[in-house]
């Protein structure tokens, strides 16, 4: 009769991988720690087989310098980027680091993307309280989904777009209804007494990704084109950079 398989919970499995691959603990040390701290009995040989099944290999230790950590926090909170994009940008900027080490740095900083099942209700109540406070203190009622999500990330609140929007629906149903009505409104008409009373400015954004920006101004009374610009601006350069990063990462 075969021996029963030793069950290892997912969180303990991740802990073993981190200790073996990045903290350079030996199998013997991990076996001792499992017995003392987690009441899991196994031999170093069994643990070695598990490590092979998990594809664990010892990685080069990364020096998490102040510059690296500071840059990571800016990319994560201010630019609202995921781990894969952060890894690419850090390597482009000359900071050699793997995707797994970026994820490990995030966990070391206490930044976790998911909430455990046991903490879901508490986290939801905290999110409702945070949204209520933010709406009371600021001008968030006029924000759409993207601006709202970016605001909360820059304020260092970690929450998915879906859960954040569901919390907003509970806290501010009147604002949701108001924005929905604004999205479906029809364009009206206006009258001006004469020339140079109102100038209308607009841009044509569909050609931005081909490195062209077009915008112009007209006089609302005479419809005369006052000026027009066709060319490249600093905003276009940033958009091209963001688009090229996204295309390299996701195709």
């Amino acid at each position: 009769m075969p021996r029963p398989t030793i069950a290892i919970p997912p969180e303990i499995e991740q802990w073993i991988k981190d200790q073996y691959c990045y903290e350079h603990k030996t199998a013997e040390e991990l076996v001792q720690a499992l017995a003392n701290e987690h009441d899991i009995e196994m031999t170093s040989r069994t643990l070695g087989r598990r490590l092979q099944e998990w594809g664990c290999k010892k990685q080069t230790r990364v020096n998490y310098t102040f510059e690296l950590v500071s840059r990571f926090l800016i990319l994560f909170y201010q630019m609202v980027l995921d781990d894969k994009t952060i890894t690419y940008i850090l390597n482009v900027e000359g900071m050699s680091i793997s995707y797994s080490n970026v994820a490990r740095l995030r966990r070391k900083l206490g930044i976790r993307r998911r909430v455990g099942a046991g903490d879901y209700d508490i986290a939801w109540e905290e999110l409702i309280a945070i949204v209520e406070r933010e709406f009371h203190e600021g001008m968030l009622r006029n924000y759409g989904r993207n601006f709202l999500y970016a605001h909360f990330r820059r304020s260092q609140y970690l929450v998915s777009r879906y859960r954040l929007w569901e919390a907003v629906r509970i806290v501010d149903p009147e604002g949701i209804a108001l924005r929905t009505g604004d999205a479906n409104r029809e364009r009206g008409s206006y009258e001006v007494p004469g020339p140079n009373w109102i100038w209308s400015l607009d841009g044509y954004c569909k050609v931005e990704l081909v490195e062209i920006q077009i915008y112009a101004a007209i006089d609302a009374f005479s419809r005369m084109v006052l000026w027009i610009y066709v060319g490249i601006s600093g905003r276009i350069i940033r958009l091209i950079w963001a688009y090229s990063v996204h295309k390299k990462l996701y195709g």
Side-chain angles (χ1 to χ4, degrees):
M1 183 175 180
R3 294 181 181 179
T5 303
I6 300 174
I8 299 178
E11 62 273 11
I12 304 300
E13 177 183 329
Q14 185 60 52
W15 176 82
I16 293 172
K17 292 177 180 178
D18 289 342
Q19 293 293 311
Y20 181 79
C21 296
Y22 304 109
E23 299 296 337
H24 298 276
K25 299 289 186 181
T26 65
E28 290 75 15
E29 290 173 331
L30 289 174
V31 166
Q32 189 67 34
L34 287 171
N36 295 337
E37 301 175 17
H38 304 287
D39 294 326
I40 297 177
E41 298 285 346
M42 66 169 52
T43 65
S44 59
R45 191 171 178 181
T46 301
L47 179 59
R49 284 198 299 270
R50 290 291 182 92
L51 291 169
Q52 285 185 345
E53 292 173 3
W54 296 335
C56 289
K57 296 180 181 179
K58 288 187 179 292
Q59 304 292 328
T60 304
R61 191 185 299 271
V62 175
N63 184 20
Y64 294 111
T65 62
F66 176 78
E67 180 186 8
L68 174 62
V69 175
S70 300
R71 186 59 177 152
F72 169 83
L73 291 173
I74 290 173
L75 294 173
F76 185 84
Y77 284 118
Q78 298 298 321
M79 300 188 69
V80 197
L81 301 177
D82 57 24
D83 291 350
K84 189 174 182 180
T85 310
I86 291 173
T87 303
Y88 175 79
I89 293 174
L90 289 176
N91 280 276
V92 167
E93 294 177 350
M95 303 178 195
S96 181
I97 187 171
S98 65
Y99 172 82
S100 58
N101 279 322
V102 167
R104 182 167 177 266
L105 172 59
R106 177 172 49 77
R107 292 194 296 269
K108 285 174 72 71
L109 294 172
I111 304 172
R112 298 190 177 274
R113 295 189 178 276
R114 293 180 177 84
V115 177
D119 300 328
Y120 182 85
D121 292 337
I122 297 174
W124 177 250
E125 292 175 1
E126 292 177 351
L127 176 60
I128 294 293
I130 290 169
V131 172
E132 287 177 342
R133 184 174 67 249
E134 290 287 332
F135 269 75
H136 178 72
E137 295 176 353
M139 298 292 294
L140 301 185
R141 172 166 283 193
N142 297 323
Y143 282 17
R145 294 181 184 232
N146 292 333
F147 276 125
L148 195 67
Y149 178 71
H151 170 80
F152 275 82
R153 275 289 292 270
R154 288 171 184 142
S155 301
Q156 300 189 8
Y157 297 124
L158 295 182
V159 59
S160 69
R161 294 174 189 266
Y162 172 78
R163 294 189 69 217
L164 176 59
W165 197 247
E166 287 299 309
V168 172
R169 288 180 184 277
I170 294 173
V171 172
D172 188 36
E174 296 85 0
I176 294 288
L178 181 63
R179 284 191 298 274
T180 302
D182 285 345
N184 298 325
R185 66 184 175 182
E186 295 182 0
R187 180 176 296 180
S189 60
Y190 62 89
E191 295 182 1
V192 291
N196 283 332
W197 187 265
I198 294 178
W199 289 358
S200 296
L201 288 77
D202 200 0
Y204 188 76
C205 301
K206 293 183 179 179
V207 290
E208 285 182 341
L209 293 180
V210 292
E211 307 181 18
I212 299 174
Q213 191 169 47
I214 303 173
Y215 50 93
I218 66 170
D219 179 71
F221 179 81
S222 65
R223 295 291 194 265
M224 183 181 75
V225 177
L226 302 173
W227 51 265
I228 185 170
Y229 174 85
V230 180
I232 297 176
S233 69
R235 179 171 178 268
I236 286 294
I237 294 172
R238 290 194 297 272
L239 284 171
I240 294 169
W241 177 83
Y243 175 73
S244 63
V245 169
H246 187 276
K247 189 173 182 180
K248 287 181 180 179
L249 290 174
Y250 303 106

